[in-house]
Amino acid sequence: MATVHLRIGDLVWGKLGRYPPWPGKIVSPPKDLKKPRGKKCFFVKFFGTEDHAWIKVEQLKPYHPHKEEMIKINKGKRFQQAVDAVEEYLKKAKGKDQVRIFTNLKSPFSLQPASSMEPITKRLKIIEEDTGSTSIQAADSTAINGSITPTDKSMLTITVIFAIFICFPNRIGFLGLGLMGSGVVSNLLKMGHVVTVWNRTAEKCDLFIQEGARLGRTPAEVVSMCDITFSCVSDPKAARDLVLGPSGVLQGIRPGKCYVEMSTVDPETTIELAQVITSRGGRFLEAPVSGSQQLSNDGMLVIVAAGDRSVYEDCSSCFQAMGKTSFFIGEAGNAARMMLILNMVQGSFMATIAEGLTLAQATGQSQQTFLDILCQGQMASTFVDQKCQNILQGNFKPDYYLKHIQKDLRLAISMGDSVNHPTPMAAAANEVYKRAKALDQSDNDMSAVYRAYIH
């Protein structure tokens, strides 16, 4: 392998971990940031992001010789925005006076969230450097990477508008700040999106307002203000009320507005909502998510989408913020069907685990030993380990509400009935969850189904 000779100021492709190469520039690190010991590496500031990292020299490639190769293997929207930012940088660069435009979009391999959640008009500022030149960068950036030649106000305005356009191509709305929705909104804000929020209990909006979100007074107002509006509520009735009720989504829908239903509901509800939204000229996508509160907070949900494919594509940066992967599976109703099947399996599995734990106890076996053996076998998973450990510790803090998994089981059984398909395992599990609900476990975690076996 040929030796790569690099120096500060060079444009490069940097690879970090399992993520694809990303365009960046080698810069001087902050004085208080020490170079890792024993590693030949350079400090790189990545285009299209607020991210920076020490990158091993073997993970760096010069920008120009490898540009076509990299563009062929990465077609993502944020990647293209980063490449465009590099080209803009090159276009404006003249001798020593170089223009640097970085956005506040978080790359797929972000090392840390943006520290400021204020609107971009507040985050962007002019920084007078010792040289007397001027640069534009996000106020929460941790390193200054270049300078901007002093210019008149019109050029400065164009530059700021360009940065804003890259950062925020869509205005995002979000309705419903429950266990799942809260984590999603937090990650959208960390990615630099402008988000307008609404929740039936208005107090839940306060934290997100402090983090930079905007407040919508009604669902109709949020939809009318935003290009893409997501909703994530508890059940089919709540989903219908949100759209069809007083000051509901339908009153704010205009031609071209996008509505994305993330709630886990039955396919009939999804199809009904798709029809009423599109009848007003709106664009509809269903995108229920598989995961838990913790996975939502971590931005690691699995998104299953169906409906308008163009909306799915428009939501790509949002889905990257909230999930680790997404699937598009055709026409509206398909995602609802798939999610109910997934949750039916998960709910039945959780009930079976609880049954095994209680049977171990009833027969004089160690529950901890049962768990240890289980986690060394083919059924080992983070889900099994965490849920069982929480049960043994008596910790039923909700990560996914028991009442919601019971609702999903009920809807899945009904869906099976509609196509004359037997669901005996789900039906048995559903009865156990119903007993747990009767024992006042509705608002506990789904693992509290364990208590149905010990009472």
Side-chain angles (χ1 to χ4, degrees):
M1 181 177 177
T3 303
V4 178
H5 297 285
L6 298 170
R7 61 183 180 179
I8 291 176
D10 286 351
L11 297 178
V12 294
W13 297 97
K15 184 149 186 355
L16 187 65
R18 60 188 177 87
Y19 298 105
W22 203 266
K25 178 184 175 183
I26 296 176
V27 298
S28 298
K31 293 180 180 180
D32 59 348
L33 189 61
K34 295 182 179 180
K35 185 177 180 179
R37 292 182 179 180
K39 295 180 180 180
K40 176 69 173 176
C41 54
F42 289 95
F43 192 74
V44 177
K45 178 68 174 71
F46 294 103
F47 280 84
T49 80
E50 278 298 319
D51 296 320
H52 44 78
W54 288 105
I55 305 295
K56 295 179 181 179
V57 68
E58 59 265 29
Q59 298 296 335
L60 294 172
K61 293 182 178 182
Y63 179 79
H64 291 288
H66 297 276
K67 177 182 173 182
E68 291 187 9
E69 169 195 346
M70 297 304 176
I71 290 176
K72 285 181 180 179
I73 64 175
N74 195 336
K75 301 293 185 181
K77 184 176 179 181
R78 285 184 296 162
F79 174 81
Q80 186 57 55
Q81 290 173 345
V83 173
D84 290 344
V86 177
E87 297 306 310
E88 185 68 18
Y89 165 80
L90 292 170
K91 184 178 178 181
K92 291 178 179 286
K94 292 181 180 180
K96 293 183 179 180
D97 295 322
Q98 300 176 341
V99 174
R100 297 292 294 138
I101 298 178
F102 285 100
T103 76
N104 195 37
L105 287 176
K106 195 172 70 172
S107 75
F109 44 79
S110 175
L111 299 181
Q112 60 185 35
S115 59
S116 172
M117 294 298 116
E118 297 175 4
I120 190 165
T121 51
K122 293 183 179 180
R123 275 189 275 123
L124 290 175
K125 68 178 183 179
I126 309 300
I127 299 178
E128 296 294 338
E129 301 190 50
D130 294 339
T131 60
S133 63
T134 308
S135 70
I136 292 183
Q137 72 176 77
D140 56 356
S141 177
T142 56
I144 296 174
N145 305 294
S147 61
I148 287 181
T149 304
T151 184
D152 58 27
K153 292 183 178 179
S154 62
M155 179 57 73
L156 180 60
T157 301
I158 292 171
T159 302
V160 172
I161 290 173
F162 177 78
I164 293 173
F165 176 76
I166 292 178
C167 284
F168 306 120
N170 291 308
R171 294 165 296 176
I172 306 301
F174 205 96
L175 311 174
L177 299 173
L179 290 183
M180 306 296 277
S182 294
V184 169
V185 170
S186 181
N187 283 310
L188 288 171
L189 289 170
K190 289 175 183 177
M191 283 286 279
H193 288 287
V194 175
V195 185
T196 300
V197 297
W198 175 90
N199 191 72
R200 185 173 56 183
T201 306
E203 291 76 12
K204 286 189 176 181
C205 297
D206 293 344
L207 176 62
F208 301 100
I209 302 304
Q210 293 172 16
E211 293 182 356
R214 299 173 180 178
L215 179 64
R217 292 174 295 179
T218 65
E221 182 179 85
V222 173
V223 171
S224 66
M225 292 170 57
C226 298
D227 302 304
I228 302 173
T229 299
F230 297 87
S231 72
C232 188
V233 292
S234 58
D235 54 37
K237 182 180 184 305
R240 285 194 182 94
D241 289 347
L242 198 61
V243 174
L244 305 173
S247 300
V249 167
L250 201 59
Q251 296 185 24
I253 281 289
R254 301 289 182 272
K257 297 283 187 181
C258 300
Y259 187 66
V260 183
E261 181 58 79
M262 301 188 75
S263 313
T264 301
V265 298
D266 56 283
E268 291 77 18
T269 295
T270 294
I271 293 169
E272 177 188 356
L273 297 181
Q275 290 172 345
V276 297
I277 294 294
T278 55
S279 70
R280 298 290 182 89
R283 301 161 63 204
F284 182 86
L285 183 76
E286 58 168 333
V289 294
S290 178
S292 62
Q293 181 185 35
Q294 186 59 54
L295 292 175
S296 177
N297 292 342
D298 294 342
M300 295 296 285
L301 296 169
V302 175
I303 300 147
V304 182
D308 189 328
R309 180 67 187 244
S310 66
V311 180
Y312 174 73
E313 293 170 352
D314 289 345
C315 291
S316 61
S317 66
C318 295
F319 288 159
Q320 288 167 4
M322 64 182 74
K324 66 177 179 180
T325 190
S326 64
F327 297 84
F328 183 83
I329 59 173
E331 64 184 15
N334 282 345
R337 296 182 184 98
M338 183 65 77
M339 191 55 60
L340 287 178
I341 295 168
L342 290 167
N343 286 358
M344 176 190 76
V345 171
Q346 181 175 252
S348 300
F349 184 44
M350 183 69 252
T352 300
I353 293 172
E355 190 170 295
L357 278 168
T358 52
L359 182 59
Q361 184 180 44
T363 57
Q365 305 305 303
S366 165
Q367 291 180 317
Q368 184 61 58
T369 301
F370 165 76
L371 174 57
D372 292 342
I373 296 171
L374 191 63
C375 288
Q376 292 299 316
Q378 292 180 318
M379 295 177 64
S381 68
T382 302
F383 176 82
V384 170
D385 185 42
Q386 290 182 344
K387 293 301 183 186
C388 289
Q389 291 292 0
N390 287 345
I391 287 172
L392 297 184
Q393 295 166 13
N395 174 18
F396 298 104
K397 180 181 177 182
D399 197 36
Y400 193 97
Y401 284 120
L402 184 143
K403 61 185 177 184
H404 289 170
I405 200 69
Q406 190 273 321
K407 174 261 300 181
D408 296 341
L409 281 164
R410 173 174 53 81
L411 293 177
I413 293 166
S414 177
M415 184 171 69
D417 288 344
S418 71
V419 292
N420 197 32
H421 184 82
T423 53
M425 302 302 151
N430 187 46
E431 293 303 316
V432 183
Y433 282 99
K434 285 162 63 176
R435 173 161 174 75
K437 287 177 66 177
L439 294 170
D440 202 25
Q441 301 300 310
S442 291
D443 293 323
N444 282 332
D445 185 69
M446 62 184 293
S447 57
V449 68
Y450 173 86
R451 289 179 168 167
Y453 289 98
I454 61 176
H455 287 86

